[in-house]
Amino acid sequence: LKKKHGAAVADRVDVNEMIKVPTFDNSVGEPVSRRFLCEIIEARVREILALVHEEIRNAGYHGVLPAGVVLTGGSALLTDIVDLARDVLAMPARVGGPAQLTGLVDSINSPAFSTAVGLLSWGMRSGDFQDSRSQAPVEGGGGPSWGDVIGRFLGWLKHFWASA
């Protein structure tokens, strides 16, 4: 519902627009005001942004971030979220996504995948990846494959959760 019908500023949604919301006992769905849905979304986004604003203050960065903030993640795709972030945080805001991707990246070139792509990119830069054929460090131009990166990342996750 959030992805398909959501907006971060409810006042900009037509009060008469209705959407069908599926229920457990009704596969057709019940009509609900889209604005009502967006009021719920706006309240949660305001709450999260207020917490972010407080963290920025606590870290001593309030008033010293002239470039503002970059919003990422799936919720960064909400209509009007940049305007709401500027209002709540009292600083510039923009939406950012993965950068410097090459190859067939259309499906992951979105703010929704920023964290996953960032972690994989970090792993590729900082890991001591090995070529799976020779078990020797990868040298020269190729670098590790995505399979190597994903395998390494999954190993890191297993280690992380085992020690937590």
Side-chain angles (χ1 to χ4, degrees):
L1 286 172
K2 179 179 81 171
K3 286 172 64 175
K4 189 172 181 180
H5 303 290
V9 179
D11 289 346
R12 297 180 183 170
V13 175
D14 182 4
V15 72
N16 296 317
E17 186 177 352
M18 302 298 283
I19 58 173
K20 296 272 186 177
V21 176
T23 61
F24 292 112
D25 60 347
N26 183 351
S27 62
V28 176
E30 294 292 322
V32 173
S33 165
R34 180 172 173 239
R35 185 167 187 164
F36 177 68
L37 170 69
C38 294
E39 287 171 353
I40 295 169
I41 292 169
E42 180 179 354
R44 299 293 69 82
V45 172
R46 280 186 181 277
E47 184 177 24
I48 291 167
L49 290 171
L51 291 169
V52 168
H53 193 225
E54 187 63 29
E55 287 299 318
I56 290 170
R57 264 191 236 177
N58 290 343
Y61 290 109
H62 183 67
V64 295
L65 297 175
V69 296
V70 178
L71 307 172
T72 65
S75 294
L77 298 172
L78 279 170
T79 303
D80 300 320
I81 195 163
V82 171
D83 294 337
L84 185 60
R86 285 179 188 145
D87 180 48
V88 173
L89 300 174
M91 67 179 69
R94 69 176 180 89
V95 173
Q100 301 171 349
L101 297 178
T102 59
L104 301 172
V105 297
D106 291 343
S107 61
I108 61 169
N109 195 15
S110 164
F113 296 102
S114 294
T115 300
V117 170
L119 286 171
L120 290 172
S121 295
W122 173 79
M124 288 178 74
R125 284 191 314 273
S126 65
D128 56 340
F129 294 97
Q130 304 230 338
D131 185 332
S132 59
R133 290 168 290 179
S134 68
Q135 295 301 312
V138 176
E139 296 180 21
S145 71
W146 278 104
D148 294 335
V149 172
I150 291 170
R152 175 92 173 176
F153 180 70
L154 292 174
W156 175 81
L157 280 177
K158 285 179 188 174
H159 175 74
F160 175 78
W161 289 117
S163 64

